[in-house]
Amino acid sequence: MISEEEARKKILETVRPLPVRKLSFSKSLDFFAAEDHFARLPLPTFDNSAMDGYAVVAGSCKKGQRLRVIGEQPAGRDKQLCISRGETVRIFTGAPVPAGADAIVMQEDVTRDGDEIIINVAVEAGEFVRRRGCDLAEGQRILAKGERIRAATVALLASQGSAEVTGEAGPEN
C-alpha cells in the first residue's frame, strides 16, 4: 500500500487540464473562465434618469418652487438638452440627463401647471440619477480566471460587445 502523499503525487503527474477554447455564449454556461475578463465600457454608458419625472438643478428647487418646462427628453436618442436654474425638462426612465441637471424629481412629486411645474418635495443633488459606470466601471473585472460562467456573467460580457468567452472544462467535458 502507498501513502496518501505518494498517491496524490502519482495522480497529479498524470492529470492534465483540458485545452482552453473560445466558446460562444450559448455554449459557455457552466464552463470555467480560462482568463480574466474586464469591462471595456461603463454601464450605464451615460448619466440617465432612474424615474419618469423632471430633470432639475437641485439647488434651485424648494418645496413650492415653480420651474419652467423647456423640453422633453425621451429614452433613446439624446436631444442634447440643457437646463439652467429655474428650468426643467420632462424626462423618462433611462433617458439621458440634460446638461446642467443634477437631480430628477419624480412625476408624482410635482404638480404640472401648463408650461410650469410646482415642486412638492425637497430635492437633493443626485436623486434618481443613475451615474455613468455605476453598475459596471471601465476596467472592472467581470469574470475571474477559474470562475464558473453563469447566465448573469454572460449578459455582462455581451454588454461589452463580446460574442464569446475563453473557457475550459465544462459540465460535459
Side-chain angles (χ1 to χ4, degrees):
M1 179 182 249
I2 63 173
S3 70
E4 180 183 336
E5 207 171 288
E6 193 176 341
R8 182 180 302 116
K9 182 180 175 195
K10 286 184 180 244
I11 290 170
L12 292 176
E13 286 173 353
T14 59
V15 173
R16 298 284 176 257
L18 293 171
V20 171
R21 57 188 172 184
K22 292 281 187 184
L23 300 163
S24 68
F25 288 152
S26 64
K27 297 189 188 304
S28 67
L29 290 180
D30 290 328
F31 278 71
F32 295 88
E35 61 189 16
D36 289 343
H37 293 268
F38 296 92
R40 293 177 297 151
L41 304 169
L43 288 181
T45 56
F46 54 87
D47 291 353
N48 69 78
S49 177
M51 295 285 172
D52 288 351
Y54 293 86
V56 299
V57 177
S60 71
C61 295
K62 293 183 177 89
K63 193 171 180 181
Q65 181 81 39
R66 286 183 168 268
L67 301 176
R68 187 169 55 92
V69 180
I70 63 164
E72 184 173 280
Q73 177 61 66
R77 184 181 67 84
D78 186 352
K79 294 172 75 176
Q80 303 292 316
L81 299 173
C82 181
I83 67 168
S84 300
R85 296 176 72 81
E87 298 177 328
T88 186
V89 166
R90 175 77 168 117
I91 194 165
F92 297 91
T93 304
V97 174
D102 63 1
I104 307 298
V105 180
M106 290 193 305
Q107 63 187 3
E108 296 87 353
D109 291 336
V110 305
T111 302
R112 183 79 187 240
D113 183 17
D115 67 346
E116 292 184 325
I117 62 166
I118 302 165
I119 304 291
N120 298 324
V121 295
V123 179
E124 292 186 28
E127 284 186 343
F128 303 114
V129 174
R130 292 182 61 238
R131 295 285 177 209
R132 178 183 192 270
C134 69
D135 294 334
L136 185 66
E138 291 173 79
Q140 184 177 342
R141 187 170 56 199
I142 297 172
L143 184 63
K145 180 179 180 176
E147 187 177 344
R148 185 178 296 270
I149 301 168
R150 304 194 185 281
T153 310
V154 168
L156 283 175
L157 291 168
S159 77
Q160 301 299 299
S162 299
E164 57 187 17
V165 62
T166 306
E168 56 191 6
E172 284 130 31
N173 291 356

